[in-house]
Amino acid sequence: MPTAAATSAREILTGLHDVMASRGSAQVKLDHVVDLIAAAMKSEVCSIYLLRDSSLELFATHGLRKEAVHVTRLALGQGLVGTIAAEGRILNLDEASSHPAFAYRPETGEESFHSFAGVPIIRRENAIGVLAVQHADARCYDEVEIEALQTVAMVLAELIAGARLADGSTRRGKQRDGMVRLAGLKLVAGMARGTAVFHQPRVLVEHTVAEDTELERARVYAAFRKMREQIETMTREAEFGTAGEHQEILETYKMFAYDEGWSRRINEAIDSGLTAEAAIERVQQRTRARMQEINDPLLKERMHDLEDLSNRLMRIVSGRMGTAAQTGLNRDAVLIARNLGPAELLEYDRRRLKAVVLEEGSLTAHVTIVARAMGVPVIGRVGDIRHIANEGDTVLVDGDQGSLVVRPTGQTVAGFDNRMAMSLRRRAEHAAIRTEPPITRDGRRCTLMVNAGLAEDASLLQQTGADGIGLFRTEFQFLVSATLPGRDSQLRLYKSVLDAAGDKPVVFRTVDIGGDKALPYLADEKDESENPAMGWRALRLSLSRTTLMKAQARALIEAADRTVLRVMFPMVSEPWEYEAARALFEEQLAWAREGKRPAPARVEFGAMLEVPSLAEMLDLLLPRIDFLSIGTNDLTQFLFAADRADPRLAERYDWLSPAILRFLRRVTREATAAGVPVRVCGEMGGRPLEAMALIGIGIENFSITPAAVGTVKTMIRSLDAAAIRAKMEVLLARPPRDMRKTLVDWARKHGVALS
Ligand code: PEP
Ligand code: MG
């Protein structure tokens, strides 16, 4: 049964089809269209505004004064119409004049109309005009009417573009030639030089109104079948990652591919009279609009997965299967896309794909995780890159700095090549000391472990020569899954990591979810508080959801069968929290042993010190723990009351500030005196100068980001630990104004390698 929205849109589309097929100028057709819509929607006014010479011109109207046509103009962002076009959103108002953006245009005679609803007319993701209806009564338009307007706007876009009545884009003045430097978000490090290749010349919907609805329905069904087959094949043949995250990402795809809601919405759009392509696009537009309103990054990510599949469906249905992956890359390519689904990335030839630049993208995005595993540098959030670069342009990508250059001059290329050569040389030097121990010049054996969280990360031990995994962030598995990972899937992951690590230790941290790492499937735990980092997260959440923690404990216990299980708890604020978590693990351990189930020979328990209050309770905590791990990322944000995610504060408080160093020294001294090993596992330890200062206050164990192992090891091997210890005593007694500069000078003078 077609829905009311479909019937309403269908009625208009049938008329529209005839208008579009009729002879006559585009103006005549649009004049007919506004009459048609006004009659079908029983609205007193229906107007079409088109983007011309950067402003919105009233192009056709039913109900407003005809003298205003081609006279009334609104700049982008001006008035209700300008706001709709600039922001690409819908306005639905019962009293138009009380909206803050309302701009009165006396020539239109619109003062007698109270209610207003307008939708953008979108072409190639840009608003090229606005379709609006108005009523004398103060009433809100219902969803069915808005839906119908949007469907009609989509068909109008075709007519308008065909007649070249509007400007192509609301985005003005983008540079298409000459060298352009751009900055973005560092997602995957590395440098590359290549030629711009667009992932997808978007499939442009050419025919929107269906001749034969049943035929269109059959086309969509066939496309769905084919897409599902493709996903199944990809799942079977995933080139790498037979277990772990990739598999789970493909599972998410599968979930969408079989999602009843999605296919139903497309079907409804077909019922309203659209072609298969237009129906897919219509639903995709709606998803995109919804995406703009969502703040939850994880949910946004899922929406991107859906968009990825929607593009695939569109390619199948239109027979234009060629993404750049299918047509094949024939030289070093820098792939450019608005966003990319992980499955789409997996289709590229890894040898020719040198880098990826995205308009969107985020650190926790699935595609980032996959790219990292493929070793392809990625820069995200480079707004408008698809409008700035041309296919075939040379692009220099610096994933280490998060910057890129499009169409560089010869001189810029030469400078970039030099830096790239240096970076490669440095990498080669680091590789050469991979098997050498991190030992200071005066013989202090430090330990350098890595932070990890994905199944693939286990191979980093081999690549970096690190001493183990000092922080395995188990929540990553939860973040990349569409549903709560069960005990078995946790067990598989932990086992595979332990197997890959062999004799090297792995420290598993129990899940640190909640706060900003919200999981859509744990909606009831969603933290709406203003300070989620200080909210219902990590151990606080785990201790209240003991089923979740028990499942994790059992998975860890079984995975470490007959070996040593090392486990630590995040965000311990008071010793009782540690005791409660440990007791829960011990209960599960007793259960496993009694039931003769697989269990570790020994368990080492640790606490993370990342909440300052715990430092005051060390006398009670230390006798109960096997190791202490300092999470400097959270610790510094709490010490300084400075949000770690706020870029404005990123440079404000230095990790080398005496306050932090004195605090860490106090904790380290107390722990060392009690015979408890201390390790730093925050980002701070991965910076050579900071690591040098930490050695100076007695910390010799680090768990750091894998990419930093080479640099930090080189620093350690060039350092005299006793000398830096003596220096730090002096500096912390009477801190210099600029600790960083003082330490850099000292390092230079003493031949300490900092890069
Ligand atoms: C930390 O807070 O320093 C830490 C290592 O944990 P995370 O970054 O995962 O919060
Ligand atoms: Mg932390």
Side-chain angles (χ1 to χ4, degrees), residues 652-698:
R652 182 92 179 213
Y653 303 100
D654 198 328
W655 268 322
L656 292 175
S657 86
I660 295 175
L661 293 172
R662 282 184 181 179
F663 185 94
L664 293 178
R665 184 178 61 177
R666 176 158 72 92
V667 170
T668 308
R669 279 186 180 158
E670 215 174 317
T672 311
V676 174
V678 178
R679 179 181 312 117
V680 161
C681 66
E683 295 302 309
M684 178 180 180
R687 299 174 165 219
L689 190 68
E690 278 81 345
M692 179 186 91
L694 290 172
I695 293 175
I697 57 168

Short mmCIF file of all heavy atoms in Angstrom, two decimals, residues 652-698:
data_model
loop_
_atom_site.label_atom_id
_atom_site.label_comp_id
_atom_site.label_asym_id
_atom_site.label_seq_id
_atom_site.Cartn_x
_atom_site.Cartn_y
_atom_site.Cartn_z
N ARG A 652 47.97 25.00 25.42
CA ARG A 652 47.95 25.90 26.57
C ARG A 652 48.79 25.39 27.75
O ARG A 652 49.53 26.13 28.37
CB ARG A 652 46.50 26.07 27.02
CG ARG A 652 46.30 26.99 28.15
CD ARG A 652 46.03 28.36 27.63
NE ARG A 652 45.80 29.31 28.66
CZ ARG A 652 44.97 30.33 28.53
NH1 ARG A 652 44.30 30.48 27.41
NH2 ARG A 652 44.83 31.20 29.49
N TYR A 653 48.62 24.11 28.05
CA TYR A 653 49.34 23.56 29.19
C TYR A 653 50.35 22.56 28.68
O TYR A 653 50.00 21.62 27.97
CB TYR A 653 48.38 22.90 30.17
CG TYR A 653 47.33 23.86 30.64
CD1 TYR A 653 46.06 23.85 30.10
CD2 TYR A 653 47.65 24.82 31.60
CE1 TYR A 653 45.11 24.77 30.50
CE2 TYR A 653 46.70 25.75 32.01
CZ TYR A 653 45.43 25.72 31.46
OH TYR A 653 44.50 26.63 31.85
N ASP A 654 51.57 22.77 29.04
CA ASP A 654 52.64 21.95 28.52
C ASP A 654 52.80 20.70 29.36
O ASP A 654 52.73 20.75 30.59
CB ASP A 654 53.93 22.79 28.54
CG ASP A 654 54.97 22.19 27.63
OD1 ASP A 654 54.98 20.95 27.49
OD2 ASP A 654 55.76 22.96 27.06
N TRP A 655 53.05 19.57 28.66
CA TRP A 655 53.32 18.34 29.40
C TRP A 655 54.61 18.46 30.23
O TRP A 655 54.86 17.68 31.12
CB TRP A 655 53.45 17.17 28.43
CG TRP A 655 52.16 16.46 28.22
CD1 TRP A 655 51.22 16.20 29.16
CD2 TRP A 655 51.65 15.91 27.00
NE1 TRP A 655 50.16 15.53 28.60
CE2 TRP A 655 50.40 15.33 27.28
CE3 TRP A 655 52.13 15.84 25.70
CZ2 TRP A 655 49.63 14.69 26.32
CZ3 TRP A 655 51.38 15.20 24.74
CH2 TRP A 655 50.13 14.64 25.05
N LEU A 656 55.42 19.43 29.87
CA LEU A 656 56.66 19.60 30.61
C LEU A 656 56.51 20.62 31.73
O LEU A 656 57.48 21.10 32.28
CB LEU A 656 57.77 20.03 29.65
CG LEU A 656 58.17 18.94 28.64
CD1 LEU A 656 59.17 19.47 27.65
CD2 LEU A 656 58.72 17.73 29.36
N SER A 657 55.28 20.95 32.07
CA SER A 657 55.12 21.94 33.14
C SER A 657 55.57 21.32 34.46
O SER A 657 55.38 20.13 34.69
CB SER A 657 53.67 22.40 33.22
OG SER A 657 52.98 21.50 34.04
N PRO A 658 56.18 22.14 35.32
CA PRO A 658 56.66 21.61 36.61
C PRO A 658 55.54 20.95 37.41
O PRO A 658 55.79 19.98 38.12
CB PRO A 658 57.18 22.85 37.33
CG PRO A 658 57.39 23.88 36.27
CD PRO A 658 56.47 23.55 35.14
N ALA A 659 54.31 21.45 37.27
CA ALA A 659 53.21 20.87 38.06
C ALA A 659 53.03 19.39 37.71
O ALA A 659 52.90 18.54 38.59
CB ALA A 659 51.92 21.64 37.79
N ILE A 660 53.03 19.10 36.42
CA ILE A 660 52.85 17.70 36.02
C ILE A 660 54.06 16.88 36.43
O ILE A 660 53.93 15.79 37.01
CB ILE A 660 52.66 17.61 34.49
CG1 ILE A 660 51.36 18.29 34.08
CG2 ILE A 660 52.69 16.16 34.02
CD1 ILE A 660 51.14 18.36 32.60
N LEU A 661 55.23 17.40 36.14
CA LEU A 661 56.44 16.61 36.41
C LEU A 661 56.61 16.35 37.91
O LEU A 661 56.97 15.25 38.33
CB LEU A 661 57.67 17.31 35.82
CG LEU A 661 57.68 17.35 34.28
CD1 LEU A 661 58.80 18.23 33.76
CD2 LEU A 661 57.79 15.93 33.70
N ARG A 662 56.32 17.36 38.74
CA ARG A 662 56.43 17.14 40.19
C ARG A 662 55.40 16.10 40.64
O ARG A 662 55.68 15.24 41.48
CB ARG A 662 56.18 18.45 40.95
CG ARG A 662 57.35 19.37 40.94
CD ARG A 662 57.02 20.56 41.80
NE ARG A 662 58.09 21.53 41.83
CZ ARG A 662 58.01 22.67 42.50
NH1 ARG A 662 56.93 22.97 43.17
NH2 ARG A 662 59.03 23.52 42.50
N PHE A 663 54.21 16.20 40.09
CA PHE A 663 53.14 15.26 40.46
C PHE A 663 53.57 13.84 40.10
O PHE A 663 53.49 12.92 40.91
CB PHE A 663 51.85 15.65 39.71
CG PHE A 663 50.65 14.84 40.09
CD1 PHE A 663 49.78 15.29 41.07
CD2 PHE A 663 50.38 13.62 39.48
CE1 PHE A 663 48.67 14.53 41.44
CE2 PHE A 663 49.28 12.86 39.83
CZ PHE A 663 48.42 13.32 40.82
N LEU A 664 54.06 13.68 38.87
CA LEU A 664 54.46 12.33 38.43
C LEU A 664 55.64 11.81 39.25
O LEU A 664 55.73 10.63 39.55
CB LEU A 664 54.82 12.36 36.94
CG LEU A 664 53.67 12.65 35.96
CD1 LEU A 664 54.17 12.70 34.53
CD2 LEU A 664 52.58 11.58 36.09
N ARG A 665 56.55 12.72 39.60
CA ARG A 665 57.71 12.29 40.39
C ARG A 665 57.28 11.77 41.76
O ARG A 665 57.75 10.74 42.24
CB ARG A 665 58.69 13.48 40.56
CG ARG A 665 59.97 13.09 41.29
CD ARG A 665 60.92 14.25 41.40
NE ARG A 665 60.33 15.37 42.16
CZ ARG A 665 60.98 16.48 42.46
NH1 ARG A 665 62.23 16.65 42.05
NH2 ARG A 665 60.39 17.44 43.15
N ARG A 666 56.33 12.47 42.36
CA ARG A 666 55.84 12.05 43.69
C ARG A 666 55.24 10.64 43.60
O ARG A 666 55.54 9.77 44.40
CB ARG A 666 54.79 13.05 44.15
CG ARG A 666 54.12 12.72 45.46
CD ARG A 666 53.54 13.98 46.07
NE ARG A 666 52.36 14.45 45.36
CZ ARG A 666 51.11 14.10 45.68
NH1 ARG A 666 50.90 13.26 46.67
NH2 ARG A 666 50.09 14.60 45.03
N VAL A 667 54.39 10.44 42.59
CA VAL A 667 53.74 9.13 42.42
C VAL A 667 54.78 8.05 42.17
O VAL A 667 54.76 6.97 42.76
CB VAL A 667 52.73 9.20 41.25
CG1 VAL A 667 52.21 7.81 40.90
CG2 VAL A 667 51.58 10.14 41.59
N THR A 668 55.72 8.36 41.29
CA THR A 668 56.75 7.37 40.92
C THR A 668 57.60 6.98 42.13
O THR A 668 57.89 5.80 42.36
CB THR A 668 57.64 7.94 39.80
OG1 THR A 668 56.79 8.40 38.77
CG2 THR A 668 58.59 6.90 39.25
N ARG A 669 57.97 7.98 42.91
CA ARG A 669 58.80 7.70 44.10
C ARG A 669 58.06 6.77 45.06
O ARG A 669 58.63 5.80 45.57
CB ARG A 669 59.16 8.99 44.83
CG ARG A 669 60.32 9.68 44.17
CD ARG A 669 60.76 10.88 44.97
NE ARG A 669 61.88 11.52 44.31
CZ ARG A 669 62.23 12.78 44.49
NH1 ARG A 669 61.56 13.53 45.34
NH2 ARG A 669 63.26 13.28 43.88
N GLU A 670 56.82 7.08 45.29
CA GLU A 670 56.05 6.28 46.25
C GLU A 670 55.89 4.85 45.76
O GLU A 670 56.05 3.90 46.51
CB GLU A 670 54.68 6.94 46.46
CG GLU A 670 54.20 6.79 47.89
CD GLU A 670 52.90 7.56 48.15
OE1 GLU A 670 52.80 8.70 47.69
OE2 GLU A 670 52.03 6.99 48.82
N ALA A 671 55.59 4.71 44.45
CA ALA A 671 55.39 3.37 43.90
C ALA A 671 56.69 2.59 43.91
O ALA A 671 56.75 1.42 44.29
CB ALA A 671 54.83 3.47 42.49
N THR A 672 57.77 3.25 43.51
CA THR A 672 59.07 2.57 43.44
C THR A 672 59.48 2.11 44.84
O THR A 672 59.97 0.99 45.02
CB THR A 672 60.13 3.51 42.82
OG1 THR A 672 59.57 4.05 41.63
CG2 THR A 672 61.40 2.78 42.47
N ALA A 673 59.25 2.98 45.83
CA ALA A 673 59.60 2.60 47.21
C ALA A 673 58.81 1.38 47.64
O ALA A 673 59.29 0.56 48.43
CB ALA A 673 59.33 3.77 48.14
N ALA A 674 57.60 1.23 47.12
CA ALA A 674 56.78 0.08 47.51
C ALA A 674 57.06 -1.12 46.60
O ALA A 674 56.42 -2.17 46.72
CB ALA A 674 55.31 0.46 47.42
N GLY A 675 58.00 -0.97 45.68
CA GLY A 675 58.36 -2.08 44.79
C GLY A 675 57.35 -2.33 43.68
O GLY A 675 57.29 -3.42 43.12
N VAL A 676 56.54 -1.33 43.36
CA VAL A 676 55.53 -1.50 42.31
C VAL A 676 56.01 -0.81 41.02
O VAL A 676 56.30 0.39 41.04
CB VAL A 676 54.18 -0.89 42.75
CG1 VAL A 676 53.16 -0.93 41.60
CG2 VAL A 676 53.64 -1.62 43.96
N PRO A 677 56.12 -1.57 39.93
CA PRO A 677 56.57 -0.92 38.68
C PRO A 677 55.58 0.11 38.16
O PRO A 677 54.37 -0.08 38.28
CB PRO A 677 56.70 -2.08 37.69
CG PRO A 677 56.26 -3.31 38.38
CD PRO A 677 55.86 -2.98 39.79
N VAL A 678 56.13 1.18 37.60
CA VAL A 678 55.30 2.26 37.06
C VAL A 678 55.54 2.37 35.56
O VAL A 678 56.68 2.30 35.10
CB VAL A 678 55.71 3.62 37.68
CG1 VAL A 678 54.88 4.75 37.08
CG2 VAL A 678 55.55 3.58 39.18
N ARG A 679 54.46 2.53 34.81
CA ARG A 679 54.61 2.73 33.37
C ARG A 679 53.75 3.92 32.97
O ARG A 679 52.66 4.12 33.52
CB ARG A 679 54.16 1.47 32.63
CG ARG A 679 54.25 1.57 31.12
CD ARG A 679 53.75 0.31 30.42
NE ARG A 679 54.31 -0.89 31.00
CZ ARG A 679 53.60 -1.83 31.61
NH1 ARG A 679 52.29 -1.72 31.71
NH2 ARG A 679 54.18 -2.88 32.12
N VAL A 680 54.25 4.70 32.02
CA VAL A 680 53.43 5.78 31.47
C VAL A 680 52.84 5.30 30.16
O VAL A 680 53.57 4.82 29.29
CB VAL A 680 54.27 7.07 31.26
CG1 VAL A 680 53.58 8.02 30.30
CG2 VAL A 680 54.49 7.77 32.59
N CYS A 681 51.51 5.39 30.03
CA CYS A 681 50.91 4.91 28.78
C CYS A 681 50.15 5.98 28.02
O CYS A 681 49.45 5.69 27.07
CB CYS A 681 50.03 3.70 29.04
SG CYS A 681 48.58 4.07 30.02
N GLY A 682 50.30 7.23 28.42
CA GLY A 682 49.64 8.31 27.67
C GLY A 682 50.51 8.77 26.51
O GLY A 682 51.67 8.34 26.37
N GLU A 683 49.97 9.67 25.71
CA GLU A 683 50.70 10.16 24.53
C GLU A 683 52.02 10.84 24.90
O GLU A 683 52.96 10.88 24.12
CB GLU A 683 49.85 11.19 23.78
CG GLU A 683 48.59 10.63 23.16
CD GLU A 683 48.86 9.50 22.20
OE1 GLU A 683 49.71 9.67 21.31
OE2 GLU A 683 48.25 8.43 22.36
N MET A 684 52.07 11.38 26.11
CA MET A 684 53.26 12.12 26.55
C MET A 684 54.55 11.31 26.37
O MET A 684 55.57 11.83 25.91
CB MET A 684 53.07 12.48 28.03
CG MET A 684 54.21 13.21 28.67
SD MET A 684 53.80 13.53 30.40
CE MET A 684 55.29 14.38 30.92
N GLY A 685 54.48 10.02 26.71
CA GLY A 685 55.67 9.17 26.64
C GLY A 685 56.16 8.94 25.22
O GLY A 685 57.30 8.51 25.01
N GLY A 686 55.33 9.22 24.23
CA GLY A 686 55.72 8.97 22.85
C GLY A 686 56.47 10.14 22.23
O GLY A 686 56.84 10.11 21.06
N ARG A 687 56.69 11.19 23.01
CA ARG A 687 57.45 12.34 22.50
C ARG A 687 58.84 12.30 23.12
O ARG A 687 58.95 12.24 24.35
CB ARG A 687 56.77 13.63 22.89
CG ARG A 687 55.38 13.73 22.32
CD ARG A 687 54.74 14.95 22.86
NE ARG A 687 53.56 15.29 22.11
CZ ARG A 687 53.23 16.55 21.82
NH1 ARG A 687 53.99 17.54 22.24
NH2 ARG A 687 52.15 16.80 21.14
N PRO A 688 59.87 12.35 22.29
CA PRO A 688 61.22 12.12 22.83
C PRO A 688 61.62 13.08 23.95
O PRO A 688 62.19 12.64 24.95
CB PRO A 688 62.12 12.28 21.60
CG PRO A 688 61.26 12.63 20.46
CD PRO A 688 59.83 12.46 20.84
N LEU A 689 61.28 14.37 23.82
CA LEU A 689 61.71 15.32 24.87
C LEU A 689 60.98 15.02 26.18
O LEU A 689 61.58 15.01 27.26
CB LEU A 689 61.43 16.75 24.42
CG LEU A 689 62.04 17.83 25.31
CD1 LEU A 689 63.57 17.83 25.21
CD2 LEU A 689 61.51 19.22 24.94
N GLU A 690 59.69 14.74 26.09
CA GLU A 690 58.90 14.42 27.27
C GLU A 690 59.40 13.11 27.90
O GLU A 690 59.54 13.00 29.12
CB GLU A 690 57.42 14.28 26.90
CG GLU A 690 56.66 15.58 26.79
CD GLU A 690 56.86 16.31 25.48
OE1 GLU A 690 57.82 15.98 24.73
OE2 GLU A 690 56.07 17.23 25.17
N ALA A 691 59.70 12.12 27.03
CA ALA A 691 60.19 10.84 27.56
C ALA A 691 61.52 11.05 28.28
O ALA A 691 61.78 10.43 29.32
CB ALA A 691 60.34 9.84 26.42
N MET A 692 62.34 11.95 27.75
CA MET A 692 63.62 12.24 28.41
C MET A 692 63.37 12.82 29.81
O MET A 692 63.99 12.40 30.79
CB MET A 692 64.41 13.24 27.55
CG MET A 692 65.74 13.63 28.14
SD MET A 692 66.55 14.93 27.17
CE MET A 692 65.92 16.39 28.02
N ALA A 693 62.43 13.76 29.91
CA ALA A 693 62.12 14.36 31.21
C ALA A 693 61.56 13.30 32.16
O ALA A 693 61.86 13.30 33.36
CB ALA A 693 61.13 15.49 31.03
N LEU A 694 60.77 12.37 31.63
CA LEU A 694 60.19 11.31 32.47
C LEU A 694 61.29 10.41 33.02
O LEU A 694 61.25 10.01 34.19
CB LEU A 694 59.15 10.50 31.68
CG LEU A 694 57.85 11.24 31.34
CD1 LEU A 694 56.98 10.42 30.40
CD2 LEU A 694 57.07 11.59 32.61
N ILE A 695 62.26 10.09 32.18
CA ILE A 695 63.39 9.28 32.67
C ILE A 695 64.09 10.06 33.78
O ILE A 695 64.52 9.51 34.79
CB ILE A 695 64.34 8.91 31.51
CG1 ILE A 695 63.60 7.95 30.56
CG2 ILE A 695 65.63 8.28 32.03
CD1 ILE A 695 64.36 7.58 29.30
N GLY A 696 64.13 11.37 33.60
CA GLY A 696 64.76 12.23 34.60
C GLY A 696 64.06 12.22 35.95
O GLY A 696 64.64 12.56 36.97
N ILE A 697 62.78 11.84 35.98
CA ILE A 697 62.10 11.77 37.28
C ILE A 697 61.89 10.30 37.69
O ILE A 697 61.08 10.02 38.57
CB ILE A 697 60.75 12.53 37.28
CG1 ILE A 697 59.82 12.01 36.19
CG2 ILE A 697 60.96 14.03 37.13
CD1 ILE A 697 58.40 12.50 36.31
N GLY A 698 62.56 9.40 37.03
CA GLY A 698 62.58 8.01 37.49
C GLY A 698 61.64 7.05 36.79
O GLY A 698 61.48 5.91 37.22
#
